[in-house]
Amino acid sequence: MRNTRALAVAGAAVAALGLSAPAAIAWETPSNITALPSVIARGGQLTITVDGCRGGGTATSSAFSPTHLSPVSGPNERARGTATINSDARPGPYDITVDCNGRRMTKPQAFTVIGGVRGGLGGSTTTGATPTDVAIGGGLVAAAVVGGGVFWMRRRAERRI
């Protein structure tokens, strides 16, 4: 008898939770802000997706200009937009604030900006390998070549016997 009551109470709780979930989406409140990629270089393009934003909206951040979010058909009433990260954005985490249907939502640390790539020097900058590192690496490669040659010569000499 006790198991039946516990089962009935658990079933009622699951039903109440299941019925309230679709109602939360129907309120048209922006939720679940997604920024991809989550780590991006300056000048890169960031795709922003927001659930519960039926009519579209605007996404803002200090790392990019205000970006229009266009509605996308689907079960979660999504809106999506593409933002270009400013070339002078400082490396670090950034928040995104979304304004949809007159409601605002902020996702803290939604994405991280990393420093740009140093091009034109083939990767050889002062922050890379030092001449000492190159000498050590070259010495290890030379030792491997000599060791391999000695091993090959010994194996060759063993076959003659």
Side-chain angles (χ1 to χ4, degrees):
M1 193 69 161
R2 290 182 190 173
N3 290 338
T4 307
R5 287 183 187 168
L7 186 60
V9 170
V14 168
L17 182 64
L19 292 175
S20 67
I25 293 174
W27 289 340
E28 296 182 19
T29 303
S31 64
N32 192 26
I33 299 172
T34 306
L36 292 175
S38 61
V39 178
I40 188 166
R42 290 177 252 173
Q45 291 194 333
L46 184 72
T47 301
I48 303 161
T49 305
V50 183
D51 291 343
C53 192
R54 181 187 311 208
T58 305
T60 57
S61 176
S62 56
F64 56 82
S65 301
T67 301
H68 176 71
L69 301 175
S70 302
V72 177
S73 61
N76 292 339
E77 303 292 337
R78 289 186 174 145
R80 180 176 294 145
T82 303
T84 302
I85 304 299
N86 297 333
S87 60
D88 61 348
R90 292 184 179 215
Y94 284 90
D95 302 344
I96 294 179
T97 301
V98 173
D99 187 5
C100 287
N101 310 318
R103 297 181 186 231
R104 293 191 107 168
M105 180 181 179
T106 300
K107 181 172 183 180
Q109 300 182 357
F111 65 98
T112 303
V113 174
I114 57 174
V117 177
R118 290 185 176 181
L121 297 175
S124 61
T125 64
T126 58
T127 59
T130 63
T132 305
D133 295 334
V134 172
I136 291 170
L140 290 172
V141 169
V145 168
V146 170
V150 169
F151 177 77
W152 181 73
M153 292 298 286
R154 289 194 63 194
R155 295 283 295 179
R156 192 170 160 214
E158 289 176 2
R159 290 185 187 167
R160 290 186 188 168
I161 297 177

